[in-house]
Every structure is written in structure tokens, then in C-alpha cells.
Amino acid sequence: MAAAPNKRGTSLKATIKDQSGAGKLKIGELLSKEGQITNTQFQAAQNQMKKGGGRLSSILLQMGHIDPETIVNVLGRLYGYQVVKYSDIKPSPQLIQAIPFQEIKEYLAFPLGARSDQIVITMTEPTDTTAVEELKEKINGFLKTNKNLKVCVSTENDIIEAYRDFYKISEEEYKEFIHFDDEPEDEEPVTSVDDFGSLVSEAADELEVHEVDDSSTSDEFMASDAPIIKLVNGILTKAIQDGVSDIHIEPFEKSLQVRYRLDGSLFKSMNLPLSIKNAVLSRIKILAELDIAERRVPQDGRIKLRLGKKKTVDFRVSTLPTLWGEGIVMRILDQSALNVDLSKLGFETDTFKAIKRCINRPYGLLLVTGPTGSGKTTTLYSLLNRLNQDDTKILTAEDPIEFNFRGINQVPVKDSVGMTFAAALKAFLRQDPDIIMVGEIRDITTAEIAIKAAMTGHLVFSTLHTNDCPSTIGRLIDIGIPSYMLASAVTMVLSQRLGRRLCPECKQEVTGYDPNELELYGFNKKEIPKLKIMGPKGCAHCNGTGYKGRVGLYELMEVTDEVAKAINANVPEDQLRKLAVQEGMVTLRDAGLEKVRQGVTSLDEVLKKTTITKEALPAYLVNPDIEKYEDKDVIIREGNNDIDFFKLVKGAVYVVKGGKKIAEITEPGEYFGEMAAITGEARTASIVSKGRSEVKRFPGDKLLEVIEKYPDVANHLFGVLANRLDHANKLLLKTAAQKTDKH
Ligand SMILES: [Zn+2]
């Protein structure tokens, strides 16, 4: 905390005790004077403050009139306040101990340090002279000193996080701030839909009358009928009320079915009579600005639904012609429901700290991985949202763009017109960005440009469809990126899953687990006797499912010096995982088990979403019989020195050598990888799953036992040896014959 505030800054400091309460409004006056807010906005915020209390800056922020960075920027740039960022908050422990959290939280102030002549603090509204005066008295009281107060400025978020880090405040205390954060009073609640039955019959009745009256009624006319409008609005608002993610409207022979997707599972909501099918579908298509006359080809559109004054919800609409008519699926893009606050995603404290470290580096490639539906987009958006500041240029290439961010340049990718991820990325580099997000790395071209961008001073975010962190590195090597480049460009890999969260109203303890089994799942032998595992029951609160909402499971591999060395040395995936764990990585399974210990989710859910990694148990114990691989999973990696071999059980695999596919193994019962077991030499080719495959693994270091136990394997191995010998023999004969010819 070096430089003292300049003269303009000091002029705002309190010299006499201010009892008028004007200090509380000072920040509003400044922002208004600088043109950051209008008079009306200022007035509205003041009214809100009178009604519900709170700080003016927080209210302005909540109302969306200013950005989180506005105050810091204005006070820092124009009024000479020293800006203290989260990463700069390193208070002395004595100070934290001496000044209780309860005494400073209402000021959103944080003590930074004490010197011989002054005490340095930071707060969100240093312009509030009354607050500064009160704080000065309080802090001096606690420290038994009589020093001046030097006041710096920080964002609300930074201060709250500093509270969490240094005052170790409880989740409840933390949530109080968060709650405070999103408490805008919605004067007009969402139209409530209590009685769908009456909406539907109202719509159907009205239409029947129309059909009797006028048999040539056009769809458009019917679609604009009040009951249809009401019904469609009802379908949309109910979806928002219930917090579903998608609405499926599907025509069948005898009815039009409406289903909702909630927490990842579909459930049926209602059947609509066929008499209103066309009218309902047309109404939705009109809202989405689609061609209502066109029913034979798929169409895409968007609906913007306004709810109350401030809230709008976007729906992405797509139609599909099916046997019984057009089906429509609507994805809800509810901006307010999107959790783009990184601190609210449910990271464990250490993981969260590591993430903050990684995104605060000036450059590097940061990857988020996981299967479809694992919440990668939300995580990426949260990372970007956190970095979205006035002094940072952010460009994104997305397919599709799901949410619009103020201040971020978002570019839609359209393969059909040549606007690919790679093309967008190339163009980005000429736009002088600080941060780039590319929706997905699918090919070598995109991967190469992303790596290059990361190595030339940009922060680059992207996603990959890989199962965990170590395999992500393997995938990039498979795509064709040299390992030394990965070692220097990648700063972190975050792999994630979404599991269902147990309903807090009805979750109950599950007993009767076999301790041996629990150990096999990854629990520690010592903790098992004391373990309390919760499971689902089902109540009205959770629609009888026993689950409500989701919980993220995260595996974060920070590319530390050691991890970088290992990547550079191209070590096998298992070794990389082992090392990453030593360097602090918590595997997905362990992250899941932690959520089980906390009673947040059930053991079943974790077992379903994560697999135990091979370090914990030898491979042939984890999966004594069959191993399953997804498309493009690498079973054997070229150049590695492992010696297990495999028998194909189901599906097919590719043989890849030097990045080129040289063969395919498609016959169940075929063996592969056995030469390494026989000769102990490095792998001469990679084996990659083609689609899903199932293979049986044989431990190469237990060759004798395997031969003893499995006669058919022994047969095969000797067959391979005999063939090799025969082949070598023929080669020798051929060479000998050629030599004789020449002489
Ligand atoms: Zn429940």
C-alpha cells in the first residue's frame, strides 16, 4: 500500500465529525457528476436505501446501474484513491485478530496494515465520511492507538472474498452478502400458473367454437387467439417458475405432449388436445419470428419474454418436422438463473484459490473439460465474467452464443459460411485482445492457434470433450500438439461433472454399506466406521425425486513446474495423474466423495458420475473383467513403456502410428498390445477406441500367471511368436536368396 492519496483524494476525507448522513450519498453525487448514473437512477437508489437500508453503492450495483468496477475506476482515476485489488489484500494476522469482523462488515471495510503513523484500510465506499470517522474511532479503540486512517478503495466482491479468506467467515455469513447481492425487489412477480387444466380447456373450447364457425380459419388467426396466447405464455412462465432447462413440445398421433427437463431429467407436464396443436405451434413460431408456413424443414429462432420491469428471459427455439407434425424444443436462457459468479459455483476452498491463481496470470491456455451437460459453459462464462473489466478486451467465438455479456465481444461460429473456430481465432489475434475464449478445441488448426495465442501473451480459454485432466493433455498430444508446447502454454485444466444435489428437506442417512465396498469406492479405511452417508427419499419439495438442483464436482490440475516437467517428458497418463495429485489435484472421484461426506449428494450419484482412477488400485482389480472406452479414448499410447495387453470384447479400435490411422481392429476376440508384454519394448503404435468399445485387460507384468490361467491367451501369444519367427525366417531366406543372385 505505497502511495498516499493525492490532494483531491484528501479533500474528501472527514475533518470534522459529520452527523448529517450526507456521507452516505456522496458516492451517488460523484457518480452522477461523472455521468456514470442519471439523476433518476440516483433518486431510485436513494428511495431504495430509505426503504430497505444498505449502502448506496451496493444498491446501485444491484439495480444494474453501475458495474462492479465502476466505483473503483472513478475513485481511482478521478479522485486519487488508491485501488486495492483482491490479489493485493495481504493483511497482517495481528490486525485481523484485533479487529472483529462483526464490527467492520457493515461498512464493507477491510483492514490492510498498521504503520507508525497510520492505519491503512480499504472499503467499497471510502467517500462516506461518516463511516470513515466511525471506523477510525472503532479501529483505534481496538488497537489502543490514536492514528490516522488511510482509506483505499476495493470492489465489493474483492472485500467479501477477503472476508472469506482472512476472517474465515462461515458459509452463512458469506451467503448473507451474496443474498444481499441479488435481492432486487421484483415488484411484478412472474405471472403465476396454478391451474393449467383450465388454461388448456379454455383454449380448446374457444377453438372448437371457431372451427364450427369458420372451417377455413387460418393458423395465424388461431395462433393470435387470446386463449392460445395465454396458454403458450403459461407454458413458458411455468418453465421459468419451476426452473426447468428445456421445454419439449412433441406431436404424437393422438395428442400434443409437453415435457420439461429439470435437473437433467425429462418429465411429462401435460397432453394438449390435437384441436389446438397447430395454433400452439404457430403461436410459438410467431414469437420466435419463424416462418409459420414452413413446416417441412427445421428452423431456429429466439423468443425474448419480458417478465416484470427488469427481467427478461430468452428461449432458444428449434423446430423439427416429425411423423406427426412439427416438434419444438425450447432451451431456456435465463440470464438471472445463470450462475456466473465464480464464487458461487461450489468449488472447495483450495480449488477456488488455485483457479484464482491461474486466471490472474497474464497469459496461458486454460481448459475446461467434461462431457456434454457437465456445466463447462457456465464455468467458462463465470471465469470470463470475473475478468470482464473496462481495461480488458475480451473476444469469444461460440457455437451457439447462449448468453450476452456487456463489454464482451461475442462472435457466433458458423461453419456453413466458413466462420469456423479456427477462422474466428485467427481474426481475433489481429484485434488486439487480452483474453480470448474459443468455444471448443476440435482440431489441430484450432489447437495450434490457441496455443500460439497463449504463448504470445494472451489468456485463452477453451473446452475439450475429455474425461479428466491428465487425459486432456493426452488428447492434445493425439491431436498433434508437441508436448513441450503444452508444457509451456497450458496453465490449468479443470475437469468437471454435474451431479444431482440431495433435497435438503428429505435427505436421510443410508446405512448398511459394506465397509470393503466403501474402501473400494475410494474412502479411507480409517474414516469408514464414522462415515455418515446420506441418500434420497422424496417429498413434495423435490417432486418425489429426493434430489433438488445440482452440484459441481471439480478436478483442477494446475500446471505447476513439476507438472509441466512431466508433460514435457510425455509421461503416461497414469504417471501424470499421480504427479498432479501430489501437486494438489483432487481427482473427480475424490471431489465427489467429499460431497458425499458433506451430505450434499448421494454415493450412488458420485459412483455414476465419476470413476476411480488407477492409482488407488491396480487396473486389473478396479476392473477385473472388462474396461469400457468412449470414442477416441486412447487405450495404448505410442512410445509408452507400459506392457499390459488387451482383447477386444465389443466395438472396434483404431491402430494409429505417427498420428496416422494404419489399421482397424473390429473382430471381437482379437488381441492387441501383446508384443510389448512379450518383448518389453516401447509401444510402436497407439490404440484408440472407435466409438464405444469394451476390452479385457491382461496385466503384462503377470504374463506367466496369465498364460497359466488363460489357455486361449497362451495359445494366441505363442501363435504371435511363431508368426514373428516365421516372418523373420522368410526375410532371412529372401535376403540370402538376393545375395546369391547378385554373385
Ligand atoms: Zn425432498
Side-chain angles (χ1 to χ4, degrees):
M1 312 307 111
N6 67 19
K7 280 169 210 119
R8 278 182 297 171
T10 26
S11 70
L12 283 165
K13 277 195 182 173
T15 43
I16 48 160
K17 194 157 181 161
D18 179 358
Q19 303 278 15
S20 65
K24 286 195 184 309
L25 297 180
K26 188 85 195 173
I27 191 69
E29 286 162 17
L30 290 181
L31 291 173
S32 168
K33 190 176 140 212
E34 300 301 336
Q36 298 283 345
I37 54 171
T38 65
N39 270 334
T40 333
Q41 290 170 338
F42 186 17
Q43 203 57 50
Q46 278 185 54
N47 291 342
Q48 172 77 29
M49 189 166 79
K50 266 183 216 142
K51 248 195 312 185
R55 310 200 65 79
L56 195 68
S57 58
S58 305
I59 292 168
L60 286 167
L61 193 60
Q62 276 171 46
M63 291 180 139
H65 297 327
I66 56 170
D67 291 330
E69 303 285 323
T70 306
I71 292 183
V72 164
N73 285 343
V74 169
L75 292 189
R77 216 171 289 156
L78 302 173
Y79 291 88
Y81 279 91
Q82 189 185 337
V83 176
V84 177
K85 290 199 169 177
Y86 168 79
S87 50
D88 296 328
I89 299 183
K90 290 175 186 106
S92 79
Q94 293 94 317
L95 218 52
I96 297 291
Q97 208 148 48
I99 305 170
F101 165 67
Q102 297 301 341
E103 296 290 332
I104 52 167
K105 68 170 185 183
E106 64 167 299
Y107 304 100
L108 278 170
F110 195 90
L112 295 172
R115 303 205 200 114
S116 54
D117 57 334
Q118 61 179 7
I119 299 158
V120 189
I121 67 164
T122 185
M123 57 196 289
T124 59
E125 249 179 65
T127 48
D128 184 348
T129 43
T130 323
V132 172
E133 201 51 39
E134 282 172 18
L135 273 168
K136 186 181 164 188
E137 262 176 42
K138 277 192 180 182
I139 293 178
N140 271 312
F142 290 126
L143 300 178
K144 305 201 170 55
T145 51
N146 188 15
K147 293 180 186 172
N148 277 329
L149 212 54
K150 179 191 163 185
V151 189
C152 308
V153 64
S154 299
T155 66
E156 195 169 311
N157 234 337
D158 284 353
I159 290 199
I160 293 169
E161 259 164 41
Y163 283 156
R164 182 151 116 153
D165 284 1
F166 299 105
Y167 275 106
K168 310 271 180 240
I169 59 173
S170 69
E171 274 309 294
E172 270 66 53
E173 284 169 321
Y174 181 67
K175 276 186 189 134
E176 255 174 55
F177 289 114
I178 303 294
H179 180 64
F180 184 69
D181 214 27
D182 48 27
E183 205 185 23
E185 263 165 56
D186 223 338
E187 306 270 331
E188 290 162 71
V190 176
T191 333
S192 90
V193 186
D194 292 328
D195 187 0
F196 245 113
S198 67
L199 272 186
V200 174
S201 55
E202 199 181 324
D205 286 351
E206 287 268 325
L207 275 171
E208 265 165 61
V209 175
H210 273 298
E211 269 169 355
V212 175
D213 282 356
D214 181 2
S215 53
S216 65
T217 313
S218 77
D219 281 341
E220 201 163 354
F221 176 66
M222 286 156 62
S224 60
D225 263 345
I228 293 294
I229 293 177
K230 224 160 137 187
L231 175 64
V232 169
N233 285 352
I235 292 173
L236 299 179
T237 42
K238 181 175 165 55
I240 299 163
Q241 268 175 5
D242 292 358
V244 309
S245 59
D246 304 80
I247 310 170
H248 294 240
I249 299 181
E250 302 152 315
F252 290 106
E253 190 180 2
K254 296 211 168 75
S255 69
L256 184 67
Q257 177 178 284
V258 180
R259 294 197 289 175
Y260 290 119
R261 189 181 291 283
L262 181 68
D263 297 338
S265 322
L266 269 177
F267 72 91
K268 194 162 153 179
S269 170
M270 68 191 106
N271 275 331
L272 300 176
L274 278 186
S275 58
I276 60 169
K277 178 177 94 175
N278 286 343
V280 167
L281 294 177
S282 296
R283 173 67 192 159
I284 295 172
K285 285 167 78 177
I286 289 169
L287 285 175
E289 294 178 355
L290 300 179
D291 178 0
I292 60 162
E294 180 56 81
R295 290 181 183 154
R296 291 152 310 173
V297 294
Q299 298 186 62
D300 290 317
R302 220 175 164 106
I303 296 177
K304 211 176 209 22
L305 190 69
R306 201 164 286 283
L307 300 161
K309 265 189 217 141
K310 284 173 301 204
K311 193 173 153 90
T312 58
V313 178
D314 283 14
F315 294 79
R316 195 170 72 220
V317 181
S318 61
T319 73
L320 185 73
T322 70
L323 180 60
W324 301 109
E326 267 184 309
I328 293 186
V329 173
M330 290 179 274
R331 160 64 58 91
I332 297 170
L333 311 172
D334 180 353
Q335 306 255 7
S336 68
L338 175 76
N339 205 349
V340 289
D341 186 338
L342 199 59
S343 59
K344 292 183 214 168
L345 285 184
F347 292 109
E348 301 291 340
T349 316
D350 286 344
T351 309
F352 190 44
K353 276 191 187 152
I355 288 181
K356 284 189 285 190
R357 263 200 306 274
C358 293
I359 63 174
N360 284 323
R361 294 197 200 177
Y363 58 88
L365 179 61
L366 298 93
L367 297 166
V368 181
T369 82
T372 310
S374 58
K376 296 191 293 281
T377 312
T378 306
T379 304
L380 272 188
Y381 277 150
S382 310
L383 292 169
L384 288 184
N385 195 36
R386 192 181 179 88
L387 295 165
N388 185 11
Q389 290 167 11
D390 285 353
D391 58 357
T392 311
K393 170 140 182 151
I394 305 181
L395 285 165
T396 73
E398 301 171 59
D399 180 21
I401 294 179
E402 295 201 6
F403 299 92
N404 296 321
F405 282 97
R406 195 154 45 145
I408 294 185
N409 303 276
Q410 295 171 282
V411 176
V413 161
K414 255 207 184 100
D415 285 350
S416 56
V417 297
M419 188 58 173
T420 58
F421 280 123
L425 210 44
K426 254 182 226 161
F428 284 1
L429 291 179
R430 293 188 290 269
Q431 292 274 320
D432 184 30
D434 300 293
I435 298 172
I436 295 171
M437 192 263 263
V438 50
E440 197 187 330
I441 293 181
R442 294 182 194 145
D443 52 48
I444 173 92
T445 328
T446 316
E448 269 176 345
I449 309 172
I451 297 260
K452 202 177 114 195
M455 289 170 85
T456 51
H458 305 92
L459 213 49
V460 182
F461 293 89
S462 191
T463 70
L464 256 88
H465 277 265
T466 45
N467 288 331
D468 62 10
C469 297
S471 69
T472 305
I473 299 296
R475 169 70 59 83
L476 287 168
I477 290 174
D478 287 340
I479 287 180
I481 304 294
S483 53
Y484 71 90
M485 278 180 119
L486 291 175
S488 59
V490 180
T491 44
M492 71 163 216
V493 185
L494 178 71
S495 191
Q496 65 178 72
R497 296 288 185 281
L498 277 183
R500 288 182 296 167
R501 188 184 281 273
L502 282 168
C503 169
E505 302 288 318
C506 66
K507 64 179 173 186
Q508 56 182 6
E509 189 173 356
V510 185
T511 51
Y513 281 110
D514 176 357
N516 292 325
E517 231 164 74
L518 290 179
E519 199 181 340
L520 219 58
Y521 296 149
F523 283 110
N524 193 317
K525 197 168 190 162
K526 281 187 206 140
E527 66 174 327
I528 289 172
K530 284 174 275 172
L531 212 52
K532 193 173 167 190
I533 298 177
M534 307 298 280
K537 182 169 178 243
C539 68
H541 185 62
C542 55
N543 284 334
T545 57
Y547 292 96
K548 190 140 180 80
R550 316 258 213 127
V551 56
L553 310 177
Y554 303 97
E555 170 178 302
L556 178 82
M557 182 168 87
E558 192 179 355
V559 181
T560 58
D561 290 348
E562 289 304 311
V563 172
K565 268 185 222 159
I567 294 175
N568 197 11
N570 215 345
V571 303
E573 199 176 302
D574 293 352
Q575 273 183 40
L576 181 58
R577 180 177 298 110
K578 209 172 193 169
L579 184 84
V581 168
Q582 279 168 12
E583 291 285 291
M585 179 177 93
V586 177
T587 63
L588 275 171
R589 169 55 65 90
D590 285 338
L593 295 184
E594 187 53 34
K595 297 289 183 205
V596 172
R597 287 184 196 105
Q598 295 168 358
V600 173
T601 190
S602 67
L603 181 56
D604 287 347
E605 195 64 14
V606 169
L607 296 181
K608 208 161 75 186
K609 295 285 154 90
T610 65
T611 53
I612 193 152
T613 43
K614 289 165 196 139
E615 267 63 55
L617 290 167
Y620 58 95
L621 261 188
V622 174
N623 235 331
D625 289 319
I626 306 293
E627 294 182 19
K628 291 183 183 171
Y629 290 92
E630 299 288 330
D631 188 30
K632 301 206 177 53
D633 279 353
V634 177
I635 304 169
I636 292 179
R637 192 181 305 287
E638 192 177 343
N640 279 1
N641 288 311
D642 51 316
I643 53 169
D644 289 357
F645 64 103
F646 304 84
K647 182 160 88 175
L648 185 65
V649 176
K650 218 181 198 175
V653 296
Y654 292 120
V655 184
V656 179
K657 198 173 164 76
K660 279 208 188 79
K661 191 170 78 188
I662 53 167
E664 251 180 69
I665 299 174
T666 54
E667 281 294 322
E670 279 198 69
Y671 290 86
F672 54 86
E674 68 275 4
M675 279 318 287
I678 298 171
T679 63
E681 283 165 12
R683 302 289 191 183
T684 53
S686 292
I687 302 287
V688 181
S689 184
K690 179 189 181 188
R692 286 188 181 171
S693 66
E694 288 181 21
V695 302
K696 186 177 167 81
R697 176 190 290 264
F698 296 97
D701 58 345
K702 305 212 168 27
L703 208 51
L704 292 179
E705 290 164 50
V706 170
I707 289 172
E708 234 170 38
K709 214 168 151 193
Y710 303 102
D712 56 332
V713 177
N715 258 341
H716 170 74
L717 290 178
F718 288 122
V720 169
L721 275 177
N723 268 335
R724 282 267 160 151
L725 286 171
D726 188 35
H727 185 67
N729 193 28
K730 279 186 183 138
L731 275 179
L732 277 174
L733 284 176
K734 205 170 151 195
T735 336
Q738 278 167 353
K739 272 194 178 160
T740 353
D741 279 352
K742 274 184 194 161
H743 285 291

